[in-house]
Amino acid sequence: MKTDLELALECVVNIYHQYAIKYPIDDYLNKGEFSDLLKETAKPFLYNTMPPNMSIDDYISKLFTRADHNHDGRLKFTEFLTTLNLVAIDAHNRSHQHPDAGHGHGHSHDHGHGHDHGPRE
């Protein structure tokens, strides 16, 4: 039986491929495919992680620009993973800003080992 993490990783690969083969059929996400992917599969999560006073479209555009390292207007899989990393870091950091939110991962906010959770932009 597969672990939750194995299932989640397989899901990331499968969802990437579902959207990367749309227009045109290739192994990249253009900005429209990227936007559709996030809006159709992660919109509630994005609303909880995007900066205040920013629209969902502006947030997606910002994520795309930050991930498109070679500035070719499309994301290869590794660049897409950068986006997931940024969103996950934002979500984790926000979970620690709201101690009453009950983010459900069963530990206190005093980790006791003095780390931060990465840069926020």
Side-chain angles (χ1 to χ4, degrees):
M1 189 161 134
K2 294 184 180 182
T3 67
D4 288 345
L5 182 57
E6 287 174 300
L7 293 171
L9 294 171
E10 282 182 1
C11 187
V12 167
V13 171
N14 291 336
I15 289 173
Y16 175 85
H17 283 133
Q18 287 172 11
Y19 286 84
I21 64 169
K22 288 188 174 185
Y23 325 102
I25 297 174
D26 58 14
D27 197 28
Y28 295 90
L29 293 171
N30 63 38
K31 196 169 190 176
E33 292 167 333
F34 178 71
S35 179
D36 289 347
L37 183 157
L38 292 178
K39 286 179 179 178
E40 293 170 12
T41 64
K43 195 170 189 175
F45 191 83
L46 290 178
Y47 275 117
N48 291 327
T49 60
M50 67 185 188
N53 303 316
M54 181 177 278
S55 74
I56 191 79
D57 289 326
D58 288 345
Y59 184 47
I60 289 171
S61 182
K62 179 182 175 183
L63 290 171
F64 186 89
T65 300
R66 287 173 67 190
D68 186 14
H69 295 292
N70 60 3
H71 310 290
D72 65 353
R74 60 189 192 165
L75 302 182
K76 59 187 174 183
F77 185 69
T78 55
E79 291 173 318
F80 173 66
L81 291 178
T82 297
T83 302
L84 296 184
N85 182 44
L86 295 171
V87 172
I89 288 170
D90 281 349
H92 188 245
N93 286 339
R94 287 181 194 277
S95 76
H96 289 280
Q97 291 175 356
H98 304 288
D100 297 332
H103 54 284
H105 59 269
H107 70 269
S108 72
H109 294 282
D110 180 17
H111 297 294
H113 49 89
H115 74 280
D116 69 9
H117 298 292
R120 294 199 37 140
E121 292 180 29

